[in-house]
Amino acid sequence: MPSMKRRALVCAVGVLFVIGVAAAQSQRPAGTSHTGNAFKFNKVAEGVYHAIGTGSLAVVGNSSVLVNDSDVIIVDDHVSPAAAWVLLDEVKSLTNKPVTTVINTHFHFDHAHGNQIFEPGVQIIGHEFTRRMLLGNPTGMPLYQGYLNGMPTQIDTLKKRIAEEKDAAAKTKLQTQLQVTENNYASQKELKPTPPNVTLSTQMTLFRGNREIQIRYLGRGHTAGDVVVLLPKDRIVMTGDFLTSGLSNMSDSYPEEWAASLDALKKLEFDTVMPGHGEAFTDKAKIGYFQAYLRDVWAETSRLKKQGVSAAEAAKTVDMTKHKGNLPIQAPGIPPIAATRIYELLDGGGR
Ligand SMILES: [Zn+2]
């Protein structure tokens, strides 16, 4: 090959390479840097993985990864564009099949704020209420506001503690926490809440080879639009925050109806629950424990409201310690956001 032509070719390849790298990098959101893997993938069944954060990146909730015959479905996509981007990157260690579908179990920031990183061709499926909430003002919601507004203080506190810490190992740990929080904050600044582009109101079923994937709405509960994802053959249900391994937050919930909607969950045929927070479990008695808690928290908070107690005071007073054998409860009191929500519902409000 004459040298002129060869130089031209080398040059063209070089330009293409630079363009390629630039394009890939421009897609990478802020705040993705982390040390070691950000997720561990617990294999629950063949092609079914529960992705749980390791702590090296802020991800908050769990996602589930379904590796099908020719594609991948992700259930819930974490707290930020950065977290979702890293999830996709690490899913490549499981499979090189393309992610074609995302399912949002509900609209909360720790389950749906990764939506924006997916290509427009990817189907993002959620309840029509989830779409409405993500199209509305999700970043103005109290739960998210509390989360975001706490970050600058957390960052300052961590910096002070790092400066004062004498022990090298403890200092390193704090530095990791600082990096995790700063990265999360940087990613939140790039947040563009993105709603599902496919919605359902009661049920939708996807078929992938031999796998049937049922997306079911079981009534109002954790929010007015939570869905669960049922794999009938594997007898697995992914529950988001409708049922977790502990206490789900109640900021947008309908506690009384939630207890009733959980009866519908009990009727589904499954052995394993992959929750939105905590490890997968098989103990179905947990459903009943949580129902009993919801009914009690509703009754107790209602009673205090009738007595003229303020929501803030009720949050300190409501005593659920009789449930501590079955649920992670240490002392009397419920989160103020839960008391506020119940008061709002009792006053006829609610979204
Ligand atoms: Zn939630």
Side-chain angles (χ1 to χ4, degrees):
M1 192 189 285
S3 71
M4 276 276 279
K5 264 191 184 169
R6 193 163 59 219
R7 263 207 305 276
L9 184 66
V10 168
C11 189
V13 169
V15 167
L16 281 176
F17 177 74
V18 168
I19 291 170
V21 168
Q25 282 176 344
S26 71
Q27 286 163 15
R28 184 179 189 128
T32 54
S33 67
H34 59 284
T35 310
N37 285 343
F39 294 94
K40 71 182 166 95
F41 294 102
N42 293 340
K43 187 172 176 180
V44 182
E46 203 51 51
V48 181
Y49 300 88
H50 205 202
I52 305 210
T54 61
S56 70
L57 190 77
V59 305
V60 186
N62 301 329
S63 59
S64 298
V65 181
L66 310 181
V67 180
N68 306 311
D69 284 359
S70 54
D71 75 341
V72 176
I73 297 177
I74 305 271
V75 181
D76 284 345
D77 55 26
H78 303 291
V79 75
S80 65
W85 194 90
V86 173
L87 174 73
L88 287 197
D89 197 42
E90 294 191 6
V91 161
K92 288 178 195 150
S93 71
L94 299 175
T95 179
N96 51 22
K97 293 172 188 172
V99 174
T100 64
T101 310
V102 174
I103 300 169
N104 291 150
T105 59
H106 62 291
F107 78 90
H108 280 160
F109 66 91
D110 51 333
H111 298 261
H113 277 188
N115 283 359
Q116 75 192 59
I117 67 143
F118 294 93
E119 299 292 329
V122 172
Q123 293 210 320
I124 302 178
I125 303 174
H127 193 272
E128 52 196 30
F129 176 80
T130 299
R131 178 172 165 88
R132 202 155 71 234
M133 294 309 281
L134 285 168
L135 273 178
N137 180 25
T139 54
M141 302 289 284
L143 189 68
Y144 182 72
Q145 279 292 310
Y147 183 69
L148 185 71
N149 295 337
M151 282 184 209
T153 315
Q154 277 173 32
I155 289 168
D156 285 349
T157 309
L158 283 166
K159 281 181 179 165
K160 275 185 206 126
R161 286 177 63 196
I162 289 165
E164 287 160 11
E165 185 58 62
K166 300 281 179 286
D167 181 69
K171 207 183 191 70
T172 307
K173 214 171 158 190
L174 288 169
Q175 273 160 342
T176 303
Q177 281 176 33
L178 176 64
Q179 189 202 19
V180 168
T181 313
E182 283 182 333
N183 279 334
N184 190 17
Y185 197 45
S187 192
Q188 298 303 331
K189 287 185 180 153
E190 291 186 351
L191 181 71
K192 294 187 197 80
T194 303
N197 51 27
V198 178
T199 62
L200 69 142
S201 56
T202 53
Q203 184 166 346
M204 175 187 278
T205 307
L206 308 176
F207 296 92
R208 299 288 194 274
N210 286 327
R211 175 169 287 153
E212 179 177 336
I213 302 137
Q214 295 182 7
I215 308 168
R216 311 270 295 250
Y217 170 70
L218 303 174
R220 297 204 292 193
H222 170 65
T223 71
D226 283 53
V227 293
V228 302
V229 181
L230 181 71
L231 305 179
K233 280 216 178 92
D234 292 306
R235 298 182 60 87
I236 291 170
V237 67
M238 284 147 263
T239 51
D241 290 357
F242 190 66
L243 179 71
T244 67
S245 58
L247 290 170
S248 295
N249 94 76
M250 296 169 70
S251 61
D252 301 290
S253 71
Y254 293 82
E256 240 190 343
E257 290 176 58
W258 194 350
S261 301
L262 284 166
D263 278 332
L265 178 66
K266 280 180 173 169
K267 290 191 187 111
L268 301 183
E269 296 205 0
F270 61 89
D271 298 319
T272 305
V273 175
M274 293 166 70
H277 299 272
E279 302 275 337
F281 60 87
T282 54
D283 182 7
K284 283 188 177 177
K286 280 180 189 282
I287 306 176
Y289 300 151
F290 189 51
Q291 285 176 306
Y293 171 87
L294 286 169
R295 290 185 173 121
D296 269 359
V297 86
W298 177 262
E300 194 56 20
T301 312
S302 307
R303 193 178 62 76
L304 291 168
K305 186 172 189 294
K306 273 199 199 97
Q307 289 175 3
V309 176
S310 72
E313 216 29 62
K316 290 182 213 154
T317 319
V318 172
D319 187 357
M320 291 291 116
T321 50
K322 70 170 167 172
H323 297 276
K324 73 178 176 188
N326 300 324
L327 289 161
I329 296 164
Q330 272 92 43
I334 59 170
I337 209 164
T340 308
R341 172 63 175 182
I342 293 172
Y343 272 52
E344 182 187 15
L345 291 170
L346 289 167
D347 286 330
R351 50 196 161 257

Coordinates of all heavy atoms in Angstrom, one line a residue, residues 215-259:
I215 N -47.1 -8.8 35.1 CA -47.0 -7.5 35.8 C -48.4 -7.2 36.4 O -49.3 -7.1 35.6 CB -46.5 -6.3 34.9 CG1 -45.3 -6.8 34.2 CG2 -46.3 -5.1 35.7 CD1 -44.9 -5.8 33.0
R216 N -48.5 -7.2 37.7 CA -49.8 -7.2 38.3 C -50.0 -6.0 39.3 O -49.1 -5.7 40.1 CB -50.1 -8.5 39.1 CG -49.8 -9.7 38.4 CD -51.0 -10.3 37.7 NE -52.0 -10.7 38.6 CZ -52.4 -11.9 38.8 NH1 -51.8 -12.9 38.2 NH2 -53.4 -12.2 39.6
Y217 N -51.1 -5.3 39.1 CA -51.5 -4.3 40.1 C -52.5 -4.9 41.1 O -53.5 -5.5 40.6 CB -52.1 -3.1 39.4 CG -52.8 -2.0 40.3 CD1 -52.0 -1.2 41.1 CD2 -54.1 -1.9 40.3 CE1 -52.6 -0.3 41.9 CE2 -54.7 -1.0 41.2 CZ -53.9 -0.2 42.0 OH -54.5 0.8 42.8
L218 N -52.2 -4.8 42.4 CA -53.0 -5.5 43.3 C -53.8 -4.6 44.2 O -54.4 -5.0 45.2 CB -52.1 -6.4 44.2 CG -51.3 -7.5 43.4 CD1 -50.3 -8.2 44.4 CD2 -52.1 -8.5 42.7
G219 N -53.9 -3.4 43.9 CA -54.7 -2.4 44.7 C -53.7 -1.4 45.3 O -52.5 -1.5 45.3
R220 N -54.3 -0.3 45.8 CA -53.5 0.7 46.4 C -52.8 0.2 47.7 O -53.3 -0.6 48.4 CB -54.4 2.0 46.8 CG -55.0 2.6 45.6 CD -55.4 4.0 45.8 NE -56.4 4.2 46.8 CZ -57.1 5.4 47.0 NH1 -56.8 6.4 46.2 NH2 -58.0 5.5 47.9
G221 N -51.6 0.7 47.9 CA -50.8 0.2 49.0 C -49.7 1.2 49.3 O -49.9 2.3 49.8
H222 N -48.5 0.8 49.0 CA -47.3 1.6 49.2 C -47.4 2.9 48.5 O -47.0 4.0 49.0 CB -46.1 0.8 48.8 CG -44.8 1.5 48.7 ND1 -44.3 2.1 49.8 CD2 -44.1 1.9 47.7 CE1 -43.2 2.7 49.5 NE2 -43.0 2.6 48.2
T223 N -48.0 2.9 47.3 CA -48.4 4.1 46.5 C -49.8 3.7 45.9 O -50.2 2.6 46.1 CB -47.4 4.5 45.4 OG1 -47.5 3.6 44.3 CG2 -46.0 4.6 45.9
A224 N -50.3 4.6 45.1 CA -51.6 4.2 44.4 C -51.3 3.5 43.1 O -52.2 3.1 42.4 CB -52.3 5.5 44.1
G225 N -50.0 3.2 42.8 CA -49.7 2.5 41.6 C -48.6 1.5 41.6 O -47.9 1.3 40.6
D226 N -48.4 0.8 42.7 CA -47.4 -0.2 42.8 C -47.8 -1.4 41.9 O -49.0 -1.8 41.9 CB -47.1 -0.7 44.2 CG -46.3 0.2 45.0 OD1 -46.7 1.4 45.1 OD2 -45.3 -0.2 45.6
V227 N -46.8 -2.0 41.2 CA -47.1 -3.3 40.6 C -46.1 -4.3 41.1 O -45.0 -4.0 41.6 CB -46.9 -3.2 39.0 CG1 -48.0 -2.3 38.4 CG2 -45.5 -2.7 38.6
V228 N -46.5 -5.6 41.1 CA -45.5 -6.7 41.4 C -45.3 -7.4 40.1 O -46.1 -7.4 39.2 CB -46.0 -7.6 42.5 CG1 -46.3 -6.8 43.8 CG2 -47.3 -8.4 42.1
V229 N -44.1 -8.1 40.0 CA -43.8 -8.9 38.8 C -43.7 -10.3 39.2 O -42.9 -10.7 40.1 CB -42.4 -8.4 38.3 CG1 -42.1 -9.2 37.0 CG2 -42.5 -6.9 38.0
L230 N -44.5 -11.1 38.6 CA -44.6 -12.6 39.0 C -44.1 -13.4 37.8 O -44.4 -13.2 36.7 CB -46.1 -12.9 39.2 CG -46.4 -14.3 39.6 CD1 -46.0 -14.6 41.0 CD2 -47.9 -14.6 39.5
L231 N -43.2 -14.4 38.2 CA -42.7 -15.4 37.3 C -43.4 -16.7 37.7 O -42.9 -17.4 38.6 CB -41.2 -15.5 37.4 CG -40.4 -14.2 37.2 CD1 -38.9 -14.5 37.3 CD2 -40.7 -13.6 35.8
P232 N -44.5 -17.1 37.0 CA -45.2 -18.2 37.5 C -44.4 -19.5 37.5 O -44.5 -20.3 38.4 CB -46.4 -18.3 36.5 CG -46.5 -17.0 35.9 CD -45.1 -16.4 35.9
K233 N -43.6 -19.7 36.4 CA -42.8 -21.0 36.3 C -41.8 -21.1 37.5 O -41.6 -22.2 38.0 CB -42.1 -21.1 35.0 CG -43.1 -21.5 33.9 CD -42.3 -22.4 32.9 CE -43.3 -22.9 31.8 NZ -43.3 -22.0 30.6
D234 N -41.1 -20.0 37.7 CA -40.1 -20.0 38.8 C -40.7 -19.8 40.2 O -40.0 -19.9 41.2 CB -39.0 -18.9 38.5 CG -38.2 -19.2 37.2 OD1 -37.7 -20.3 37.2 OD2 -38.2 -18.4 36.3
R235 N -42.0 -19.5 40.2 CA -42.7 -19.2 41.5 C -41.9 -18.1 42.3 O -41.6 -18.3 43.5 CB -42.8 -20.5 42.3 CG -43.7 -21.6 41.6 CD -43.9 -22.8 42.4 NE -44.6 -22.6 43.7 CZ -45.9 -22.5 43.8 NH1 -46.7 -22.7 42.8 NH2 -46.4 -22.3 45.0
I236 N -41.6 -17.0 41.6 CA -40.9 -15.9 42.2 C -41.8 -14.7 42.0 O -42.4 -14.5 40.9 CB -39.6 -15.7 41.5 CG1 -38.6 -16.8 41.8 CG2 -39.0 -14.3 41.8 CD1 -37.3 -16.8 41.0
V237 N -41.8 -13.8 43.0 CA -42.5 -12.5 42.8 C -41.5 -11.4 43.2 O -40.9 -11.5 44.3 CB -43.9 -12.4 43.6 CG1 -43.7 -12.5 45.1 CG2 -44.7 -11.2 43.2
M238 N -41.5 -10.3 42.4 CA -40.7 -9.2 42.7 C -41.7 -8.1 43.2 O -42.6 -7.8 42.5 CB -39.9 -8.7 41.4 CG -38.7 -9.6 41.1 SD -38.4 -9.7 39.4 CE -39.3 -11.3 39.0
T239 N -41.4 -7.6 44.4 CA -42.5 -6.8 45.0 C -42.1 -5.3 45.2 O -43.0 -4.6 45.8 CB -42.8 -7.4 46.4 OG1 -41.5 -7.6 47.1 CG2 -43.5 -8.8 46.3
G240 N -41.0 -4.9 44.8 CA -40.6 -3.5 45.0 C -40.8 -3.1 46.5 O -40.3 -3.9 47.4
D241 N -41.5 -2.1 46.8 CA -41.7 -1.7 48.2 C -43.1 -2.1 48.7 O -43.5 -1.8 49.9 CB -41.6 -0.2 48.4 CG -40.1 0.2 48.2 OD1 -39.3 -0.6 48.0 OD2 -39.9 1.5 48.3
F242 N -43.9 -2.7 47.9 CA -45.2 -3.2 48.3 C -45.0 -4.2 49.4 O -45.8 -4.3 50.3 CB -45.9 -3.9 47.0 CG -47.3 -4.3 47.2 CD1 -48.3 -3.3 47.3 CD2 -47.7 -5.6 47.2 CE1 -49.6 -3.6 47.4 CE2 -49.0 -5.9 47.3 CZ -50.0 -4.9 47.4
L243 N -44.0 -5.0 49.4 CA -43.6 -5.8 50.5 C -42.0 -5.9 50.5 O -41.5 -6.3 49.5 CB -44.1 -7.3 50.3 CG -43.8 -8.3 51.4 CD1 -44.5 -7.9 52.7 CD2 -44.1 -9.7 50.9
T244 N -41.4 -5.5 51.5 CA -39.9 -5.6 51.6 C -39.6 -6.6 52.7 O -40.5 -7.1 53.4 CB -39.3 -4.2 51.9 OG1 -39.7 -3.8 53.3 CG2 -39.7 -3.1 51.0
S245 N -38.3 -6.7 53.0 CA -38.0 -7.6 54.1 C -38.1 -6.9 55.5 O -38.0 -7.5 56.5 CB -36.6 -8.1 53.9 OG -35.6 -7.1 53.9
G246 N -38.4 -5.6 55.4 CA -38.6 -4.9 56.7 C -39.8 -4.0 56.7 O -40.9 -4.4 56.4
L247 N -39.6 -2.7 57.0 CA -40.7 -1.7 57.0 C -40.6 -0.8 55.8 O -39.6 -0.1 55.6 CB -40.7 -0.9 58.2 CG -41.0 -1.6 59.6 CD1 -40.7 -0.7 60.7 CD2 -42.5 -2.0 59.6
S248 N -41.6 -0.8 54.9 CA -41.5 0.1 53.7 C -41.9 1.5 54.2 O -42.6 1.6 55.2 CB -42.6 -0.4 52.7 OG -42.2 -1.6 52.2
N249 N -41.4 2.5 53.5 CA -41.8 3.8 53.9 C -43.2 4.1 53.5 O -43.8 3.4 52.6 CB -40.8 4.9 53.2 CG -41.3 5.4 51.9 OD1 -42.3 6.2 51.9 ND2 -40.8 4.9 50.9
M250 N -43.8 5.0 54.2 CA -45.3 5.2 54.1 C -45.7 6.6 53.5 O -46.9 7.0 53.6 CB -46.0 5.0 55.4 CG -45.7 3.6 55.9 SD -46.2 3.3 57.6 CE -47.9 3.4 57.5
S251 N -44.7 7.3 53.0 CA -45.0 8.7 52.6 C -46.1 8.9 51.6 O -46.7 10.0 51.5 CB -43.7 9.3 52.1 OG -43.3 8.7 50.9
D252 N -46.3 7.9 50.7 CA -47.4 8.1 49.7 C -48.3 6.9 49.8 O -49.0 6.5 48.8 CB -46.7 8.1 48.3 CG -45.7 9.3 48.2 OD1 -46.2 10.4 48.2 OD2 -44.5 9.1 48.2
S253 N -48.4 6.3 51.0 CA -49.2 5.1 51.1 C -50.6 5.2 51.5 O -51.1 6.3 51.9 CB -48.5 4.2 52.1 OG -48.7 4.7 53.4
Y254 N -51.4 4.2 51.4 CA -52.7 4.0 51.9 C -52.7 2.8 52.8 O -53.1 1.7 52.4 CB -53.7 3.8 50.7 CG -53.8 5.0 49.8 CD1 -52.8 5.2 48.8 CD2 -54.8 5.9 49.9 CE1 -52.9 6.3 47.9 CE2 -54.9 7.0 49.0 CZ -53.9 7.2 48.1 OH -54.0 8.2 47.2
P255 N -52.3 3.1 54.1 CA -52.0 1.9 55.0 C -53.1 0.9 55.1 O -52.9 -0.3 55.1 CB -51.6 2.6 56.3 CG -51.2 4.0 55.9 CD -52.0 4.4 54.7
E256 N -54.3 1.4 55.3 CA -55.5 0.5 55.5 C -55.7 -0.3 54.3 O -55.9 -1.5 54.4 CB -56.7 1.3 55.8 CG -57.3 1.0 57.2 CD -58.7 1.7 57.3 OE1 -59.0 2.6 56.6 OE2 -59.4 1.2 58.2
E257 N -55.8 0.3 53.1 CA -56.0 -0.4 51.8 C -54.8 -1.3 51.5 O -55.0 -2.4 50.9 CB -56.2 0.6 50.7 CG -57.5 1.4 50.8 CD -57.6 2.4 49.7 OE1 -57.5 2.0 48.5 OE2 -57.7 3.6 50.0
W258 N -53.6 -0.9 52.0 CA -52.4 -1.7 51.7 C -52.5 -3.0 52.4 O -52.2 -4.1 51.7 CB -51.2 -0.9 52.3 CG -49.8 -1.4 51.9 CD1 -49.5 -2.5 51.2 CD2 -48.6 -0.6 52.2 NE1 -48.1 -2.5 51.1 CE2 -47.6 -1.4 51.7 CE3 -48.3 0.5 52.9 CZ2 -46.2 -1.0 51.8 CZ3 -47.0 0.9 53.0 CH2 -46.0 0.2 52.4
A259 N -53.0 -3.1 53.6 CA -53.2 -4.3 54.3 C -54.1 -5.3 53.5 O -53.9 -6.4 53.4 CB -53.7 -4.1 55.7

